[in-house]
Structure formats: structure tokens, C-alpha cells
Amino acid sequence: MGRYTLMRLGVFAGCLVVVWGLVYSGLAPRGLGDSNYMWIVLLALVISAPISFVVLRKERDRASAQVVARVDRMKTNLEHNRSQEDGADDAARGGVQGQTS
């Protein structure tokens, strides 16, 4: 997941540099007043999102598979722990009921 995040940040940084160059060369419109930097960042976000969606598809699928595998492992461990607790609880109750009868 960290690799995907770094790659996504890299795509954004690349778009930020390109948009900054376009705005300051006059090929893209400037923001109003002091909002120029915010305009550049927002424009870079809007451009980088679809690029990341297409270019990083395989990496996103790989990260998703890792997350799913980790969640499945955690569910399995949780079920295993629950069954151990149930067995210990049943054994303890069986010993107590055997003594009272």
C-alpha cells in the first residue's frame, strides 16, 4: 500500500510541475489574485486523478489483494481465538457442573 501511495504522490508531483510550468508560461490561465498557488494545486489534483486511475491500475489491484489477504488472515485468527475461548469456557463450565451434580 505504501508503494501505491508513493507512486500516486509521484504522479501528482509530476502534474504539479507541469501545471506550474504551463501557468507561468501563460499557456494555462492564472488564478485570481493570491489564489494562483491554490489554482495550480487544484488543477494538478484534477489532472493527476484520472492519470493515476489508468496508469496505476495494476499497482492498485496488487495493493487491494494484499489488503484483502491481510483482512482474511485477521478474520481467520479471530475465529481461531474465539473457538479456543469457547473450548476453554465449555471445559470450565463442564468441570463446575460436574462438581455440583
Side-chain angles (χ1 to χ4, degrees), residues 16-84:
L16 187 65
V17 169
V18 169
V19 168
W20 179 82
L22 291 174
V23 167
Y24 280 100
S25 67
L27 296 174
R30 293 181 184 264
L32 299 174
D34 293 336
S35 68
N36 199 34
Y37 295 114
M38 184 62 71
W39 167 251
I40 292 171
V41 170
L42 288 175
L43 194 56
L45 278 172
V46 168
I47 293 171
S48 70
I51 292 172
S52 294
F53 184 74
V54 173
V55 173
L56 301 179
R57 181 178 311 252
K58 288 181 183 178
E59 188 62 36
R60 186 177 54 252
D61 290 343
R62 190 176 311 142
S64 174
Q66 288 175 352
V67 169
V68 167
R70 186 175 297 156
V71 167
D72 287 343
R73 253 191 340 263
M74 290 174 68
K75 284 182 181 180
T76 302
N77 289 340
L78 183 61
E79 285 300 318
H80 179 71
N81 289 341
R82 283 185 184 165
S83 65
Q84 283 182 340

